[in-house]
Amino acid sequence: MRPVTSLALAALALTAALGTAPAASATAAAPAGTSAAAAFHCDPGHFCIYSGWDGGGTRCQWTAEKVANTADLCSFIRNGKNVLSLWNGTGHRVQYYTQTNYNARVGSTAAGHGGNLQGSYQIRSFKKQ
């Protein structure tokens, strides 16, 4: 009976760990010896958002310090699609918002990081810190 209890506790711990990770913060770092930035195809110095998971789908990218309305230059945002992943290739933390003009902050990502998001919202504005 003891091995079943240990397995159940391990499964519960794993579920708790995965369930408490912040959905609005993309913080995946590149594993040693690999380049996550290359997997996301984001030019150096750019903040990139994607319509697909893991940097797939349509990419929109910017070098600007801040963008008040991402739909101005991003077709998939303009067409109503959500952001499923992002990569921050800038030298600064980037805060992002679900509304234009930097309203309704939903998350932030450190420089040189990125990953999959919750996928239930659009990034309508952002600014570097």
Side-chain angles (χ1 to χ4, degrees), residues 48-67:
C48 299
I49 62 175
Y50 306 88
S51 65
W53 302 113
D54 300 317
T58 302
R59 174 188 72 180
C60 295
Q61 64 178 3
W62 297 268
T63 58
E65 292 290 317
K66 58 185 181 177
V67 172

Side-chain angles (χ1 to χ4, degrees), residues 17 27 38 52 54 56 67 69 72 78 81 123 127-128:
T27 57
D54 300 317
V67 172
N69 187 356
D72 289 342
R78 198 169 35 253
K81 288 190 174 188
I123 293 177
K127 60 183 172 181
K128 296 176 187 175

Side-chain angles (χ1 to χ4, degrees), residues 53-102:
W53 302 113
D54 300 317
T58 302
R59 174 188 72 180
C60 295
Q61 64 178 3
W62 297 268
T63 58
E65 292 290 317
K66 58 185 181 177
V67 172
N69 187 356
T70 58
D72 289 342
L73 297 173
C74 185
S75 63
F76 79 85
I77 295 290
R78 198 169 35 253
N79 292 330
K81 288 190 174 188
N82 291 336
V83 177
L84 301 185
S85 57
L86 64 78
W87 185 263
N88 180 3
T90 73
H92 307 276
R93 175 173 288 280
V94 174
Q95 292 183 341
Y96 34 96
Y97 306 81
T98 60
Q99 297 177 12
T100 60
N101 298 312
Y102 324 106

Side-chain angles (χ1 to χ4, degrees), residues 18-28 47 49 53 83-88 93-98 104-110 113-123 125-126:
L18 293 174
T20 59
S25 181
T27 57
F47 177 65
I49 62 175
W53 302 113
V83 177
L84 301 185
S85 57
L86 64 78
W87 185 263
N88 180 3
R93 175 173 288 280
V94 174
Q95 292 183 341
Y96 34 96
Y97 306 81
T98 60
R105 181 174 168 224
V106 70
S108 69
T109 299
H113 289 79
N116 292 327
L117 299 175
Q118 184 178 4
S120 62
Y121 55 86
Q122 292 184 330
I123 293 177
S125 58
F126 69 86

Side-chain angles (χ1 to χ4, degrees), residues 34-53:
T34 65
S35 175
F40 276 77
H41 304 289
C42 186
D43 295 336
H46 289 75
F47 177 65
C48 299
I49 62 175
Y50 306 88
S51 65
W53 302 113

